[in-house]
Amino acid sequence: MTARRLAAATLTVVAVAGAATLPASAADRTDRQAAVRIADVQHGFAGDGARSNRSLNSEWVEVTNGARRAVNLSGWTLSDRDGHTYTFHHYRLDGRSVVRVHTGMGRDTSRDLYQDRRTSVWGDRSDTAALRDERGRLVDTLSWGARHPGNRDGAYWGERGGEYRGEHAGRDDFGGRHGERHDGRR
């Protein structure tokens, strides 16, 4: 084999090996993002005190990271069906941990973040919470209520005092049906 052919074969092997590692690193990023989910939603309620800060802070969305490694959520967004959007700023969600994003005002901690809003965001009859990464790609959604198309029987699903537990298996903690869950994958 000539030196030229040997060099060309070596370059081909290096190029093929390099191309094979690219999807693995992209898959690693996707796997870590796939571990981030909307775990629970507690929506607002109508009535006296519905606009108090205490009431607004009892309205929240829990985001969980099931991976062992932390995920940088800076630039990620959490939004409702009407377009109300919260953007995570300088926040890193540790591995195997949960953060609650409250609607009202408060002091951010590692476990609780606040949107600093003065009105309710999450619909009490039906709504959809959507989590998107820093590039705007859909990571996860959780929908609830009789108007949600995934709820075919027309009844509310998984209701426990306005709190909804999202499960990938399509059942709530009591074994009942609930609305559709989407993770952005086809």
Side-chain angles (χ1 to χ4, degrees):
M1 202 178 220
T2 66
R4 256 189 198 165
R5 284 186 180 173
L6 184 58
T10 303
L11 287 175
T12 301
V13 168
V14 169
V16 168
T21 61
L22 286 176
S25 62
D28 180 50
R29 176 175 163 79
T30 303
D31 288 345
R32 279 188 275 150
Q33 284 183 333
V36 177
R37 294 274 179 249
I38 298 171
D40 296 325
V41 175
Q42 180 160 319
H43 60 73
F45 66 94
D48 292 340
R51 292 185 131 195
S52 71
N53 194 53
R54 182 176 177 187
S55 173
L56 291 172
N57 283 333
S58 68
E59 176 180 281
W60 45 258
V61 175
E62 275 187 351
V63 177
T64 185
N65 178 8
R68 282 186 253 149
R69 291 191 215 169
V71 175
N72 182 1
L73 296 184
S74 294
W76 287 43
T77 60
L78 186 60
S79 60
D80 74 341
R81 191 170 41 211
D82 294 329
H84 299 104
T85 302
Y86 170 77
T87 303
F88 292 86
H89 294 286
H90 311 292
Y91 185 76
R92 192 173 158 96
L93 182 58
D94 290 332
R96 310 241 190 250
S97 62
V98 175
V99 64
R100 275 191 181 173
V101 181
H102 300 270
T103 300
M105 293 185 269
R107 182 179 220 156
D108 291 345
T109 67
S110 63
R111 298 188 60 142
D112 293 283
L113 299 174
Y114 296 86
Q115 295 188 47
D116 295 332
R117 293 183 182 272
R118 296 185 187 275
T119 58
S120 180
V121 171
W122 307 107
D124 62 332
R125 294 188 186 266
S126 70
D127 209 340
T128 298
L131 181 66
R132 295 183 181 277
D133 68 12
E134 73 280 2
R135 292 189 175 162
R137 291 180 296 221
L138 185 65
V139 173
D140 195 20
T141 68
L142 184 60
S143 298
W144 62 92
R147 291 188 206 150
H148 178 65
N151 189 354
R152 304 200 198 301
D153 61 5
Y156 289 100
W157 53 263
E159 185 170 354
R160 290 191 311 260
E163 183 177 342
Y164 298 88
R165 302 255 186 231
E167 295 292 332
H168 293 284
R171 302 212 168 265
D172 63 23
D173 292 342
F174 298 108
R177 253 181 87 219
H178 61 77
E180 289 181 359
R181 178 177 192 84
H182 308 279
D183 64 5
R185 290 186 253 180
R186 296 189 189 271

